[in-house]
Amino acid sequence: MSTRDWLLTESPASRMQARLGRSYRVMLALLHNPLAVVGALIILTLVVLALFAPWFATHSPYSGQLTERLLPPSAEYWLGTDELGRDIWSRIVYGARITLVIVLLVAAIAAPLGLVIGAISGYFGGWTDRILMGITDIFLSMPKLILALAFVAALGPGIENAVIAIAITSWPAYARIARAETLTFRNAEFIAAIRLQGASAARVILRHILPLCSSSVIIRVTLDMAGIILTAAGLGFLGLGAQPPLPEWGAMISRGRVFILDQWWVATMPGFAIVIVSLGFCFLGDGLRDVLDPKGGGKQ
Amino acid sequence: MSAISLRDLDIAYGDTRVVEGIDLEIAEGESFGLVGESGSGKSTVLRAITGLATEWTGEISLYGTPRGRTIDKRFAALCQMVFQDPYGSLHPRQTVDATLSEPLAIHGIGDADRRVPKMMEACGLDPRFRFRLPHQLSGGQRQRVAIARALMLKPKLLLLDEPTSALDVSVQAEILNLLKRLRKEQGLTYVLVTHDLAVVSFLCDRLAVMRQGRIVEVADIAALKTRSMKDPYSRELVEKSASRLT
Amino acid sequence: MSAPLLDVRNLRVRFPTATGPVEVVRGVSFALGRERLGIVGESGSGKSMTGRSILRLIRRPGIVTADRMRFEDSDLLDISEREMRKVRGARISMVMQDPKFSLNPVITVGDQIGEALAVHERLPRRQIRRRVVEMLEAVQIRDPERVFGLYPHEVSGGMGQRIMIAMMLIPEPAILIADEPTSALDVSVQGEILKIIDDLITSKGMGLIFISHDLNLVSAFCDRILVMYRGEVVEECKASELANASHPYTRGLIASVPRLDETREELPVLDRSQWETR
């Protein structure tokens, strides 16, 4: 039996085979969507650039030759140089690491937090629901950037604080989604059946309800990543995110603002990077939604 | 000692009283049918026994022990339920194996690798289905998984809420046969809720007819088969069913 | 018998799937006169697809073909979509299973029924209202004026189905297709609904196609029966002669239904190898 047949078989013979088969099907379905493929390739490029930055960068991202400042794109400096003579391409490549770290950390903090709060809120209902959703609403009602600003202003600028600030403003949306999904399933017969087996509330939520909410949250997180990148860039732009000389894309745009009329590449190259990566996440998120959305008929 | 004893049971949903004044004794090893039309409250009685519905007053006792309003492991090992909709009673993301292993895991019973295939066989499930997801199974197969799941903890009492109503006619016969066989093999007590009197005639020893939350008659199954029910509403139900059956 | 109202020959419905095209209706042929024809089958038999394909309700990617689907003067598969719209509801109507899902929840009962009429006939509003109230009376709804203004969620299942029937029969079609019209209803209400359908069909000389999974119900209610299995008609007989059915599937179905005075230890189970070729 070929690997493909083994993965797609109707009757898997082990847990591993069933799980791998499901992942394979999702992947196949995604590959049918050209935009999703584009998105996935962009993200893959981002990851590869970040992981292997030293191999892709042509110059040092931190030190530059002052005699080479503000040069336009050329064969030596692919995207030109900035006001301190540093190669913009190399800075963008190393900046990819920062972007990736921010995005992953925010997702890793905000998504599980939102999921658990939303699921608990939806499952128990009553006062638990009211209190938790009240707290969620308070966070939801604050404009993201302002709250992040306030947070960073209080704790001081820097990547870690920027990450925490963005994560704090992101989790409420996931809580709402998780709660909505939980409400759909809370009264389903299969949940009743599991409760009847003597499962504790914690077990029901963790093992049975959370997996059902995860698809929606994954889709939302992927789509949100564009926004997270922009918020981080916004913070960087305001000087509150990554500090110099770190090559954070938003900070780069901020520095390049002054030169935008005559040396447009200093600001717009990092801008392109942000746009392309955001688009990549949006395409991928859309593709995932088509594949994973239970109402849309995707059976994974 | 009765398997189930209901005394003066009233169940409410919010402000409305849905079930009133139920008095019932179901003996151990008996197969008892609870029939009625939609809105009669028959499913609600089951939900109160299991603890899924908690707004009730009166007495519910299982094997002499009074029933509370919570679901604990002891109750789960004693009494299980099979639901109506085979499409809704299995977790859509869990394989047959996961669904059947779950009760064992909750109760800390090991040896799942032996027990799961054994139960699948006892319920007529092809071993090839072990790692399939519910959407890869037919309605009848799903219902077999639901029955297998209910029996994993070896309960003494099985509550069945319209177990075959959502199935095709040809599949219904298989499931009914399975239920009858399992009861004989394992000495189970059944409480079967249904609107289909013929199913009751096949599976049950005694029956109670419910109407708008009350029991109007309790009778031996012979009364149903010979069409000699006493209450006028029961007789009407029997007549209407009979007129549609050969 | 006079010329049939509907003449279907070699109806096929197929859907493309990842593993190749699948035919869900495979060469179904029948003629419908001014009679009650029952189509019985289990899930996957193609009975609902057959009903829907008569009204050309099957959209892409499903493909419907037939040698002949003759209704009145035209072939239903040849006419344009615009002409088909004049047929749907006005000449051939369909009642579906669950009024919870087949009635529009945000439009009042009276307006919905009135719309069914307004689409096909140009009448002043007052006359439409009068016809709707008359129709509500014809389906045995007491207090039709009050029900006129109700929303679907405010009426019971049985009443919802009556409303559905009223809506489908008000334009006075020649054929009614009923797809499991009583399956979502209580036993006691089923009889009433069937009687209403029966009275209306007979009084207007209509033809009825009654689709159901319930063999006993169909045999009690219809004049002729078609039994479908996996897309094919395996049995065609008069309802009164159902007990003499010849095909093993039909005989198996009849035998496997439990009886009210059941005495068997075990119900006979269908042995599909008896007739299945694949």
Side-chain angles (χ1 to χ4, degrees), chain C residues 231-245:
Chain C
E232 292 177 314
V233 174
V234 297
E235 185 100 43
E236 184 175 342
C237 66
K238 284 216 271 261
S240 48
E241 290 166 11
L242 187 60
N244 303 331

Side-chain angles (χ1 to χ4, degrees), chain C residues 75-137:
Chain C
D75 190 306
L76 292 176
L77 287 180
D78 289 338
I79 59 179
S80 71
E81 177 61 24
R82 170 183 288 196
E83 282 163 3
M84 194 66 214
R85 280 204 290 272
K86 293 197 199 129
V87 171
R88 286 191 202 115
R91 308 300 308 137
I92 306 181
S93 263
M94 188 170 202
V95 172
M96 284 165 280
Q97 177 172 340
D98 201 334
K100 261 200 324 266
F101 301 123
S102 50
L103 289 174
N104 190 325
V106 297
I107 303 181
T108 60
V109 163
D111 285 342
Q112 284 189 58
I113 304 178
E115 186 175 1
L117 194 55
V119 164
H120 297 287
E121 291 181 45
R122 295 211 170 286
L123 292 172
R125 239 164 51 116
R126 194 156 302 191
Q127 220 183 331
I128 291 188
R129 195 197 163 89
R130 196 170 46 80
R131 289 267 297 266
V132 170
V133 170
E134 273 170 17
M135 200 65 212
L136 287 174
E137 278 169 355

Side-chain angles (χ1 to χ4, degrees), chain B residues 60-77:
Chain B
I60 302 181
S61 306
L62 251 59
Y63 295 95
T65 328
R67 186 83 190 91
R69 285 160 184 73
T70 53
I71 307 171
D72 57 10
K73 293 205 184 118
R74 208 159 37 92
F75 172 75

Side-chain angles (χ1 to χ4, degrees), chain A residues 70-81 264-265 269:
Chain A
L70 297 173
L71 293 177
S74 63
E76 193 188 348
Y77 299 107
W78 293 352
L79 296 180
T81 57
W264 54 270
W265 54 89
M269 290 306 175

Side-chain angles (χ1 to χ4, degrees), chain A residues 4-53:
Chain A
R4 187 196 149 95
D5 284 338
W6 184 82
L7 284 168
L8 290 179
T9 177
E10 278 290 302
S11 301
S14 70
R15 284 173 202 94
M16 176 66 67
Q17 193 179 357
R19 224 172 273 160
L20 287 176
R22 284 206 293 280
S23 312
Y24 185 64
R25 267 172 233 238
V26 170
M27 206 186 71
L28 274 187
L30 265 182
L31 286 177
H32 277 131
N33 181 343
L35 279 183
V37 175
V38 169
L41 283 176
I42 294 177
I43 309 298
L44 197 61
T45 313
L46 177 75
V47 170
V48 166
L49 279 182
L51 282 178
F52 299 106

Side-chain angles (χ1 to χ4, degrees), chain B residues 37-38 168-170 172-174 176-177 180 184 197-199 201-202 225 227 238 240 242 244-246, chain C residues 42-43 186-188 190 214 216-217 253 256-262 264-270 272:
Chain B
E37 303 187 290
S38 52
D168 274 333
V169 164
S170 57
Q172 177 178 260
E174 293 172 20
L176 289 177
N177 285 343
K180 200 171 199 178
K184 213 184 298 187
L197 289 170
V199 169
S201 181
F202 178 72
K225 297 194 199 215
R227 305 214 200 156
V238 174
K240 290 225 171 86
R244 300 177 37 233
L245 296 167
T246 40
Chain C
E42 301 182 292
S43 47
D186 274 330
V187 161
S188 51
Q190 281 182 13
D214 192 334
N216 289 307
L217 183 66
L253 268 192
S256 64
V257 176
R259 301 189 213 301
L260 208 52
D261 52 354
E262 194 54 66
R264 298 173 286 187
E265 257 306 296
E266 208 182 279
L267 295 172
V269 162
L270 280 183
R272 288 166 212 270

Side-chain angles (χ1 to χ4, degrees), chain B residues 2-245:
Chain B
S2 331
I4 301 186
S5 172
L6 304 175
R7 242 187 281 272
D8 205 19
L9 180 64
D10 282 358
I11 312 174
Y13 264 157
D15 290 328
T16 22
R17 198 100 65 92
V18 179
V19 168
E20 260 188 274
I22 303 288
D23 282 311
L24 211 50
E25 299 273 334
I26 297 174
E28 190 165 357
E30 183 174 25
S31 174
F32 193 88
L34 198 52
V35 301
E37 303 187 290
S38 52
S40 57
K42 53 194 195 301
S43 295
T44 315
V45 171
L46 286 192
R47 295 181 76 87
I49 297 175
T50 54
L52 290 171
T54 50
E55 284 177 62
W56 54 267
T57 57
E59 269 179 53
I60 302 181
S61 306
L62 251 59
Y63 295 95
T65 328
R67 186 83 190 91
R69 285 160 184 73
T70 53
I71 307 171
D72 57 10
K73 293 205 184 118
R74 208 159 37 92
F75 172 75
L78 190 59
C79 170
Q80 280 293 315
M81 186 151 151
V82 175
F83 296 86
Q84 170 175 1
D85 183 8
Y87 297 79
S89 69
L90 300 182
H91 194 296
R93 300 273 176 85
Q94 289 182 356
T95 58
V96 172
D97 179 77
T99 299
L100 296 183
S101 312
E102 184 68 4
L104 300 177
I106 294 175
H107 288 247
I109 303 173
D111 212 12
D113 263 333
R114 189 183 56 86
R115 289 175 194 261
V116 166
K118 190 151 160 261
M119 183 60 77
M120 284 178 70
E121 195 189 329
C123 293
L125 280 165
D126 193 313
R128 280 180 308 148
F129 296 161
R130 188 166 168 193
F131 295 101
R132 283 201 186 176
L133 289 171
H135 72 262
Q136 294 170 292
L137 301 170
S138 70
Q141 288 156 355
R142 281 180 238 210
Q143 201 65 318
R144 286 178 195 267
V145 174
I147 294 171
R149 173 180 60 190
L151 295 176
M152 285 309 283
L153 294 173
K154 301 201 199 293
K156 290 205 279 184
L157 173 61
L158 207 56
L159 306 177
L160 302 138
D161 191 354
E162 307 259 20
T164 54
S165 304
L167 301 174
D168 274 333
V169 164
S170 57
V171 179
Q172 177 178 260
E174 293 172 20
I175 300 296
L176 289 177
N177 285 343
L178 174 67
L179 287 172
K180 200 171 199 178
R181 179 170 60 80
L182 287 170
R183 178 170 158 248
K184 213 184 298 187
E185 283 172 5
Q186 301 186 19
L188 298 164
T189 308
Y190 280 177
V191 179
L192 173 74
V193 159
T194 179
H195 64 276
D196 190 333
L197 289 170
V199 169
V200 172
S201 181
F202 178 72
L203 269 186
C204 301
D205 306 320
R206 277 198 310 151
L207 76 153
V209 178
M210 281 186 73
R211 180 190 193 193
Q212 286 173 343
R214 290 176 187 277
I215 293 186
V216 297
E217 183 172 354
V218 179
D220 215 64
I221 201 68
L224 174 63
K225 297 194 199 215
T226 54
R227 305 214 200 156
S228 46
M229 305 282 289
K230 299 207 176 61
D231 181 271
Y233 175 71
S234 315
R235 296 183 74 89
E236 196 188 316
L237 269 190
V238 174
E239 272 314 304
K240 290 225 171 86
S241 297
S243 66
R244 300 177 37 233
L245 296 167

